[in-house]
Amino acid sequence: AQKITQTQPGMFVQEKEAVTLDCTYDTSDQSYGLFWYKQPSSGEMIFLIYQGSYDEQNATEGRYSLNFQKARKSANLVISASQLGDSAMYFCAMREADTGGFKTIFGAGTRLFVKA
Amino acid sequence: DSGVTQTPKHLITATGQRVTLRCSPRSGDLSVYWYQQSLDQGLQFLIQYYNGEERAKGNILERFSAQQFPDLHSELNLSSLELGDSALYFCASSSAGADITDTQYFGPGTRLTVL
């Protein structure tokens, strides 16, 4: 079974509008971390935002916010006031305990296109 | 700029050959992670080192090996290369590597092409 599921292979959004990128996860652990990364066409992976499983408030970082719904096991990324530079691949990831340490699992990604 | 450096940026080689990818973590980070990103497999975790010792292992082939040196830089060695090894290889670093909250910062990647 997929640990991280991003159901939207591609999304379109009009410039200046908000967009939500979906992410659901599967874990039986109580303690875990959720991350979002952006990968522009240039290829680098850019850290955007982090949410801990015990954090009661949704994480926010500038125009990025994470809509964390623990009971539904979802961690959707909300980008407000989209800009042309937001066009990129976005990856959701989960960090959880593993034998002897921790592991981070990435979803398949969602490609976001911002239209002018 | 994440502060993580990787060399070389591009590498083209032939099947059966061996290559070494190099990574320098952000200043102060003790953990280094290696990932492989290919079109069909997505982003796959290979291995993690923490302060010179192997900490976690993912889907790393036996033909691949890594190490972290006393100055904390790391090398990923890929041998007996196959066409399917063509991918973007990322190095990431984090301050500790033994915590749920540990954020990994990625380098620019090394694009490996095996012909």
Side-chain angles (χ1 to χ4, degrees):
Chain A
Q2 291 289 329
K3 283 275 194 173
I4 297 286
T5 302
Q6 294 181 253
T7 57
Q8 307 149 314
M11 288 276 290
F12 286 87
V13 64
Q14 195 68 39
E15 193 180 10
K16 298 179 186 176
E17 292 186 351
V19 63
T20 298
L21 307 183
D22 295 342
C23 173
T24 57
Y25 58 91
D26 180 26
T27 182
S28 55
D29 289 358
Q30 295 301 308
S31 180
Y32 49 90
L34 298 160
F35 302 80
W36 277 91
Y37 286 85
K38 172 185 178 181
Q39 187 176 35
S41 57
S42 51
E44 73 270 31
M45 293 282 286
I46 302 167
F47 165 69
L48 296 178
I49 197 166
Y50 163 80
Q51 177 85 42
S53 60
Y54 290 116
D55 294 339
E56 294 186 353
Q57 301 232 347
N58 286 340
T60 60
E61 288 286 347
R63 294 186 299 111
Y64 304 108
S65 60
L66 201 152
N67 184 359
F68 181 45
Q69 299 187 46
K70 194 170 182 176
R72 297 177 65 179
K73 294 188 176 178
S74 76
N76 298 340
L77 177 71
V78 180
I79 305 174
S80 62
S82 296
Q83 302 171 356
L84 294 178
D86 294 334
S87 294
M89 278 289 283
Y90 289 82
F91 292 94
C92 177
M94 177 177 66
R95 186 167 171 82
E96 61 179 355
D98 190 26
T99 308
F102 296 86
K103 64 181 179 183
T104 304
I105 304 162
F106 286 78
T110 294
R111 185 169 293 280
L112 178 66
F113 300 91
V114 181
K115 300 182 290 183
Chain B
D1 187 349
S2 67
V4 180
T5 61
Q6 288 187 249
T7 56
K9 197 170 176 60
H10 301 279
L11 198 49
I12 301 174
T13 188
T15 54
Q17 295 298 304
R18 172 188 169 95
V19 297
T20 298
L21 312 183
R22 183 189 167 100
C23 167
S24 292
R26 294 186 320 159
S27 177
D29 283 358
L30 298 177
S31 265
V32 169
Y33 307 77
W34 286 98
Y35 289 88
Q36 179 194 57
Q37 186 180 35
S38 59
L39 285 173
D40 55 344
Q41 295 286 330
L43 196 64
Q44 298 284 319
F45 167 66
L46 296 178
I47 197 163
Q48 177 200 355
Y49 278 82
Y50 173 75
N51 205 19
E53 294 191 3
E54 184 182 304
R55 173 62 66 90
K57 216 166 186 176
N59 303 321
I60 188 166
L61 299 172
E62 285 193 13
R63 300 184 285 109
F64 296 180
S65 64
Q67 53 184 325
Q68 186 179 27
F69 295 87
D71 67 353
L72 301 178
H73 92 270
S74 177
E75 292 180 357
L76 178 67
N77 300 296
L78 314 176
S79 61
S80 303
L81 285 167
E82 302 174 358
L83 296 177
D85 297 327
S86 294
L88 186 55
Y89 290 84
F90 283 109
C91 167
S93 75
S94 67
S95 57
D99 191 90
I100 286 292
T101 66
D102 211 40
T103 297
Q104 297 171 39
Y105 294 89
F106 282 73
T110 292
R111 169 85 55 192
L112 174 67
T113 303
V114 182
L115 302 175

